[in-house]
Amino acid sequence: MTEVKHIIFDLDNTLFDFNACWEKAHRQIFFERGFDQFTTYDGFMTIYRKIDALLWEKLLAKQITLADLRRQRISLTLQTFNLDFTLLEGDAFYQDFFQLLLAELQPNQQVIDGLKELKVDYDLVILTNGLIEEQQAKVELLGLTDICPIYISEAIGYEKPDLQAFEHVMSANQFQPEQTLMVGDSLTNDIEPAEMLKMKTYHVTDDIISCLEKIQQGTFIT
């Protein structure tokens, strides 16, 4: 088997628990905004998630932008409860939510140490979808800025699962696909496109500390 020399990490839900932060920030803003006067949090989130899924389908089909998704998601959700919420208010809602999400982020020294240990034997990079300003803010708060190069979809012009996103990173770093390991939580965005390019893969399904330990020990399954 070809030796792994390079590792590409996803960021959200791979190097930190984005879903937990997302959920906590939404719960907080739901009550801060007084939406509990009109519905329960669970009732709100049931509708919110359904609309979110539908809008993501449109986003992936390039029918709407990420900004459209964010402002429409809350506006359409509140309309089901007969509440008017303009798209400008939707923008403000997202900005407030995102600040709450950022407040949840803090460095995980075990993750930092684990990445530094891997860096001794492997070339490391992070490849993440998202907006430059937002993803950079996350990386800084997580203490990952100086660990390795960070490639953000808005900056490179390609978004996973587009194969060109992976090819861009490998070309920029002179990585050979058969010597490169892709580590990520998403089968669609991370694992399947990497396998199409003949990269090795590690699907993250448990906590990141365990993942880093398995990679260090060479006991992961590709």
Side-chain angles (χ1 to χ4, degrees), residues 21-90:
C21 298
W22 190 91
E23 177 71 28
K24 189 169 183 178
H26 273 104
R27 180 178 291 276
Q28 184 172 343
I29 199 170
F30 172 83
F31 289 104
E32 286 185 356
R33 290 294 186 108
F35 294 157
D36 56 319
Q37 300 174 55
F38 311 103
T39 182
T40 64
Y41 177 72
D42 289 342
F44 170 83
M45 287 305 295
T46 297
I47 301 298
Y48 189 86
R49 289 181 186 279
K50 287 181 180 178
I51 290 174
D52 181 57
L54 292 173
L55 291 174
W56 270 102
E57 290 180 5
K58 290 186 177 182
L59 178 67
L60 294 175
K62 299 184 178 179
Q63 297 173 354
I64 61 173
T65 66
L66 182 59
D68 293 330
L69 180 149
R70 290 169 170 175
R71 62 172 67 104
Q72 290 179 27
R73 180 171 55 191
I74 182 62
S75 297
L76 292 173
T77 299
L78 293 179
Q79 284 178 21
T80 66
F81 300 104
N82 297 315
L83 297 174
D84 291 328
F85 210 68
T86 68
L87 296 182
L88 285 177
E89 289 176 311

Side-chain angles (χ1 to χ4, degrees), residues 4-16:
V4 172
K5 296 182 179 180
H6 326 293
I7 305 176
I8 302 175
F9 284 95
D10 172 49
L11 179 63
D12 297 341
N13 286 320
T14 297
L15 292 177
F16 78 104

Side-chain angles (χ1 to χ4, degrees), residues 98-109:
F98 189 70
Q99 292 307 310
L100 291 173
L101 186 149
L102 291 181
E104 294 298 316
L105 302 185
Q106 56 185 349
N108 184 323
Q109 195 59 49

Side-chain angles (χ1 to χ4, degrees), residues 14-15 108-114 202 204 206-215:
T14 297
L15 292 177
N108 184 323
Q109 195 59 49
Q110 285 183 285
V111 171
I112 293 172
D113 291 343
Y202 183 169
V204 177
D206 51 3
D207 70 275
I208 184 57
I209 304 303
S210 297
C211 295
L212 294 175
E213 290 174 350
K214 290 176 183 176
I215 294 171

